[in-house]
Amino acid sequence: MSTMAVEDVAVAVRTGFWTRDRKIGAGALLLGLLAAGLFGSLATGADARFTLSEDAGGAALAVEGTFGAILFGLVAAAAGAALLAGLPKRWFVPLLGVAIVGVVLSFLCWQVSAAPTGQNFMPLVNIVRGTFILALPLIFGALAGVLCERSGVVNVAIEGQLLMGAFAGALVGTIAASAWVGLIAAALGGALISLLLAVFTIRYLVDQVVMGIVLNLFAVGLTGFLYERLMQPEATKYNQPPRFEAWPIPVLSDIPVLGPALFRGNIFLYLALILVVVIHVALFRTRWGLRTRSVGEHPTAADTLGVKVLALRYRNVLLAGMVAGVGGASYTLALYTFSKNMIGGKGFIALAALIFGRWSPTGALLAALFFGFADQLGTYLSAIDSSIPSEFLAMLPYLATLLAVAGLVGKVRAPAADGKPYIKG
């Protein structure tokens, strides 16, 4: 018997039949059957078309609405049944993914087929592009959380770092008439919030969660006051920064669906993806990463081996603020002008993405895309006059956050020293 099989048996003996995987499998089975029955009965006989373009034209994947809703619901139920049967641990993530995708596709077959004539199609290019755009601040925010919490500092101030970055990018970018100068200012704006977080939590040992909340309120108050005094009265002088244009990548931008969505983006999209790779490699393949993880797990032992614990935490917290500040600039230097409290809770969703992604850069990326898709899905359903109330559609990203963190993550272990101040002996 393999080591993995022995571990599965040991887990079953300790927890009984109803292990966490089996409970999730039972939930997926019931949800899949519910989707097949409910969405199948609500769908129409019209085709649900998923076009491989930005509009109704071009090639498309079409499935009859009722048939598709029932089929995908049963696929999700089958995946749930496989989890319930107690397959080896390595099958958990793939089967859970199949179950989630099956329920979502069953739901979409209902919604797209029931849309008014001329609107019963889903442009996949727009959906993928919108998912990445809406996920950008979440990716930057979650990466900022990874840098802080892997060092042992809880970063609840992501919201404030994003907001200060958006404000500084808009204000300085407008005054300097340069998007690049605005980008640098955004990074420094996020670093300012991080500096306050580092000084009060590392130097003065203030509770890290409380300090993060205080800094979020500080950022909201400061940017709101300056917005009303400067930006709102004289928007042309202080709130109309230059924008980063899209940078198409030759050849890659011509790939169907993914090409227009991923390789015709602006600097923020490319920078986010590059940062995920760089931070992942640095965290798990370099001396800096080893020291960072050791400080986050056992700072006393790291200190004994010569690692400067407090200095490393200061550096990583400041770096995290710069990353989050750039994420805030993805609003004001690419999409919108600055407005009061424009981040709207995205910093807290980024914190959830950090937990959902298990404090890993790649996990945080996937979690951010999941939440971004939920946000984009709400926008799409509103555009096709969905029968679902608009208030519920506005709740989708936050509802997805609750379900993901409470229902799918299960027991996760943060770095052992996360949130614990270090007092050098």
Side-chain angles (χ1 to χ4, degrees):
M1 185 178 292
S2 67
T3 303
M4 186 172 293
V6 171
E7 290 176 354
D8 291 338
V9 171
V11 170
V13 170
R14 289 196 304 269
T15 60
F17 178 81
W18 287 107
T19 62
R20 170 179 166 266
D21 292 5
R22 281 195 165 105
K23 289 177 182 177
I24 292 178
L29 172 60
L30 294 175
L31 195 60
L33 293 175
L34 178 64
L38 179 61
F39 300 153
S41 63
L42 293 174
T44 69
D47 281 349
R49 298 180 65 249
F50 300 90
T51 64
L52 306 180
S53 62
E54 301 180 44
D55 50 34
L61 306 174
V63 60
E64 194 264 332
T66 301
F67 173 75
I70 295 174
L71 173 64
F72 290 122
L74 292 178
V75 168
L83 288 173
L84 183 60
L87 291 181
K89 192 74 175 178
R90 64 179 180 273
W91 290 102
F92 175 75
V93 173
L95 287 173
L96 180 60
V98 170
I100 294 173
V101 171
V103 171
V104 171
L105 288 176
S106 176
F107 171 77
L108 289 176
C109 284
W110 161 42
Q111 285 292 298
V112 177
S113 68
T117 303
Q119 293 183 319
N120 54 345
F121 69 96
M122 172 179 272
L124 294 181
V125 170
N126 284 350
I127 296 298
V128 176
R129 179 191 292 128
T131 294
F132 273 91
I133 289 174
L134 293 172
L136 278 178
L138 306 182
I139 296 171
F140 284 107
L143 290 177
V146 169
L147 290 169
C148 278
E149 303 207 10
R150 282 287 186 170
S151 307
V153 178
V154 173
N155 189 4
V156 181
I158 297 173
E159 179 86 1
Q161 292 161 356
L162 289 170
L163 185 60
M164 190 63 76
F167 173 80
L171 179 64
V172 178
T174 304
I175 294 173
S178 169
W180 290 103
V181 174
L183 182 62
I184 295 171
L188 295 178
L192 172 63
I193 299 297
S194 270
L195 177 62
L196 295 174
L197 176 66
V199 169
F200 281 99
T201 60
I202 299 174
R203 174 67 178 83
Y204 296 107
L205 309 182
V206 176
D207 183 276
Q208 296 174 8
V209 175
V210 173
M211 193 63 213
I213 295 172
V214 169
L215 289 174
N216 287 334
L217 296 176
F218 168 73
V220 170
L222 178 63
T223 58
F225 172 78
L226 294 176
Y227 171 76
E228 290 181 348
R229 290 292 185 272
L230 291 177
M231 290 181 163
Q232 197 171 39
E234 299 186 74
T236 55
K237 288 180 63 177
Y238 300 112
N239 198 16
Q240 288 189 359
R243 303 289 172 83
F244 284 105
E245 301 296 333
W247 293 352
I249 298 178
V251 181
L252 294 178
S253 60
D254 296 326
I255 298 173
V257 182
L258 290 180
L262 285 182
F263 301 112
R264 295 180 190 172
N266 56 38
I267 186 176
F268 295 104
L269 175 58
Y270 303 137
L271 189 57
L273 298 177
I274 291 171
L275 279 176
V276 169
V277 175
V278 169
I279 293 176
H280 181 85
V281 171
L283 201 57
F284 297 106
R285 295 288 186 272
T286 68
R287 179 182 297 179
W288 167 83
L290 178 61
R291 291 181 174 182
T292 293
R293 287 182 287 122
S294 65
V295 165
E297 293 291 344
H298 205 309
T300 303
D303 193 5
T304 302
L305 295 174
V307 178
K308 296 180 180 179
V309 174
L310 300 183
L312 184 64
R313 285 186 172 181
Y314 269 109
R315 286 196 298 269
N316 286 358
V317 171
L318 288 174
L319 181 61
M322 296 178 71
V323 170
V326 171
S330 68
Y331 280 100
T332 51
L333 296 180
L335 299 174
Y336 318 109
T337 56
F338 183 83
S339 60
K340 289 178 66 174
N341 199 20
M342 68 182 302
I343 302 302
K346 290 295 191 295
F348 296 104
I349 298 182
L351 192 60
L354 165 70
I355 298 170
F356 191 22
R358 298 173 182 263
W359 291 269
S360 161
T362 51
L365 169 66
L366 296 176
L369 290 175
F370 173 72
F371 298 139
F373 172 74
D375 204 350
Q376 176 62 24
L377 182 59
T379 302
Y380 165 74
L381 293 177
S382 298
I384 63 172
D385 299 324
S386 171
S387 57
I388 300 174
S390 59
E391 293 81 5
F392 182 81
L393 296 178
M395 290 166 49
L396 269 180
Y398 306 100
L399 184 61
T401 304
L402 287 174
L403 291 175
V405 175
L408 298 180
V409 173
K411 290 185 178 180
V412 293
R413 190 185 73 83
D418 195 18
K420 299 177 182 178
Y422 178 69
I423 303 174
K424 187 175 178 65

